[in-house]
Amino acid sequence: MQERQAQVIIVGGGPVGTGLAIELGQRGIHTIIVERYPSPQQVPKGQNLTQRTMEHFYFWGAEQSLRAARAVPKEYGIGGLTAYGTLLGDYHYDWLQRELVRPYYFTDNERLPQYRTEEVLRERVKALRDVECFYGWNAEDIAEDPEGVSVTMARRDGAERCVLHADYIVGCDGSRSMVREKAGITQTLSDHDRLMALLVFRSSGLHELLKRFPGKSFYNVLHPELKGYWQFFGRVDLGNSWFFHAPVPAGTTKDNFDFASYLHRAAGAKFDIAFDYIGFWDLRFANADSYGRGRVYIAGDAAHSHPPYGGYGINTGFEDARNLGWKLAAVLQGWAGPDVLESYDQERRPVFASTAGDFIEKAIYSDRDFLEKYDPARDKAAFETEWAARGSGARAEVNAFEPNYCGSPVIFGPPGGKTGAIGGHEFTARPGHHLSPQILSDGRNVFEVLGPGFTLLAFDGDVRSIAAFSKAAEMMYLPLEIISDNRADGREKYDARYILVRPDQFVAWSSNDTPPSPEAILRKAVGRQ
């Protein structure tokens, strides 16, 4: 049996696992990916990528490649709508208007099938000499001892076995995670007791029917009988390929249900259908009770899972990868303490709990209440008034979804601050929040000059304070980029002379006052108090 050594082993080479490998590989961390599928699975899930996720791709050196891989032409648009009763009915409004928060991010959002995203990530990881990929291998077991961790894996054809040794293991192996189970990490479940169908099909007729909604790529149908659970149509390309998910009766199989008629009823018209895939999943929420134990960590669906409502899932997983990646590298390279790894769980787990409860489940219950209370056949005026109000409320929801780490132990957050997904987008540089972009006096965007480690932005800062930060970072072997500029031309919107930015573009500390101890600030930010 062969044996191999690495610093980090990632079990699961889907988008989250490969993104994490890129994050680590770019930082010089020897990483091994173990992935059972030789090539990405052609199921078009995880399509909507937020502006924040596209910032990750920018820093991973893969943004332009990803945009070139999109299946819907850029000029068409990637917006969405919500309809009442049927897709082609009389009532609809724009939905999930992520373009409203575009000014607070460096990049535009994007939309493409997950398998294309995976293809781009796999191609990018090939260029990293510190990452090895074992495609077509099954991870069978993990073990931990005082010196490290190991993974036993085998080729799927059974022809070869190997043991991998490393300092850390990260399970990115999906909702049925072997890594999570073997590590003894439990989950908290919220089961909605609903069987959902996922259909992938081809239809040029549906494309013709939906020409009345130009620029739309995904469509959410609210039907009173479904009590708040969605019927969801999504484009895979422009013209022929689609996916659809919706509740179906318990016990439904590929062979005992008329899926074509179900699609026709949801759309409100008949059209041609050729099915490529019919699958099922249970509508439930799951959040691991810890995102790490010892030298074993989990990320993406292995750590948390929820229904594909609102495009939160893959984006949440990518944020896990950015958060955990720089922290693992910092500890392995010796410039951060163990508390920074503990902060991965303390930051990311509450964010998912809030995303699930305050946005996804809340939307289901809100839709249910609306459908029970309002009916155009019963009181058309009342229904139309509330329908218009819901369309306006969709704008507020996009602004309110602003994951932040205000309660993190490695953040200089406000007293009593809580970590979660509810917030509000601002240009102010607030500790625990994502840094917003601004143009520097030399014409570059601040995101173009952020370092791979920490960055100190000093706007009309005191020379001695800046020098003290530089000296403290040097003594701690902490990578620190220092950017000095004035507070004019929009940079005053940060409302801070000093901003310490983490490697994942979250603000660790900010102030208008001269810092009393730059070393103490840096030590807390990297868990070395």
Side-chain angles (χ1 to χ4, degrees), residues 59-211:
F59 286 104
W60 289 336
E63 181 193 0
Q64 295 309 313
S65 297
L66 189 78
R67 296 197 190 280
R70 69 182 295 169
V72 175
K74 184 176 181 178
E75 60 271 17
Y76 177 79
I78 53 174
L81 66 80
T82 293
Y84 175 81
T86 66
L87 182 53
L88 299 173
D90 295 329
Y91 298 103
H92 53 82
Y93 59 73
D94 288 348
W95 175 63
L96 208 62
Q97 302 172 62
R98 287 201 169 111
E99 67 275 7
L100 298 174
V101 296
R102 173 63 178 86
Y104 303 98
Y105 296 91
F106 178 53
T107 54
D108 291 319
N109 62 327
E110 192 54 271
R111 189 175 190 278
L112 71 170
Q114 180 173 306
Y115 54 82
R116 288 203 174 184
T117 299
E118 289 188 51
E119 290 167 359
V120 169
L121 290 169
R122 286 194 180 200
E123 193 63 30
R124 172 68 184 117
V125 88
K126 286 181 184 178
L128 300 176
R129 64 180 184 180
D130 288 306
V131 181
E132 296 181 78
C133 301
F134 286 81
Y135 297 126
W137 289 72
N138 280 328
E140 298 178 335
D141 198 5
I142 67 171
E144 183 174 1
D145 59 49
E147 296 181 0
V149 287
S150 63
V151 172
T152 302
M153 66 176 188
R155 284 192 183 276
R156 294 188 71 188
D157 60 10
E160 192 176 355
R161 298 175 67 80
C162 186
V163 176
L164 307 174
H165 302 278
D167 296 282
Y168 296 96
I169 292 173
V170 183
C172 300
D173 49 341
S175 59
R176 293 184 174 90
S177 170
M178 178 276 292
V179 173
R180 185 188 65 238
E181 293 294 326
K182 295 289 185 179
I185 298 174
T186 57
Q187 291 180 294
T188 296
L189 302 175
S190 174
D191 198 330
H192 283 233
D193 195 28
R194 284 274 178 165
L195 180 65
M196 307 291 287
L198 170 61
L199 314 176
V200 182
F201 63 96
R202 286 166 284 119
S203 174
S204 57
L206 183 58
H207 172 68
E208 293 299 317
L209 288 169
L210 294 182
K211 282 184 175 179

Side-chain angles (χ1 to χ4, degrees), residues 403-423:
N404 62 83
Y405 308 139
C406 288
S408 170
V410 294
I411 291 288
F412 288 81
K418 293 184 178 180
T419 294
I422 294 179

Side-chain angles (χ1 to χ4, degrees), residues 311-355:
Y312 294 103
I314 193 171
N315 298 293
T316 302
F318 280 135
E319 196 69 59
D320 293 346
R322 289 298 307 283
N323 189 295
L324 180 58
W326 78 261
K327 293 173 180 177
L328 281 171
V331 170
L332 287 165
Q333 292 167 344
W335 52 269
D339 287 354
V340 82
L341 276 177
E342 292 183 13
S343 74
Y344 167 63
D345 173 88
Q346 294 161 331
E347 292 179 350
R348 297 303 303 152
R349 193 156 54 91
V351 163
F352 176 78
S354 177
T355 299

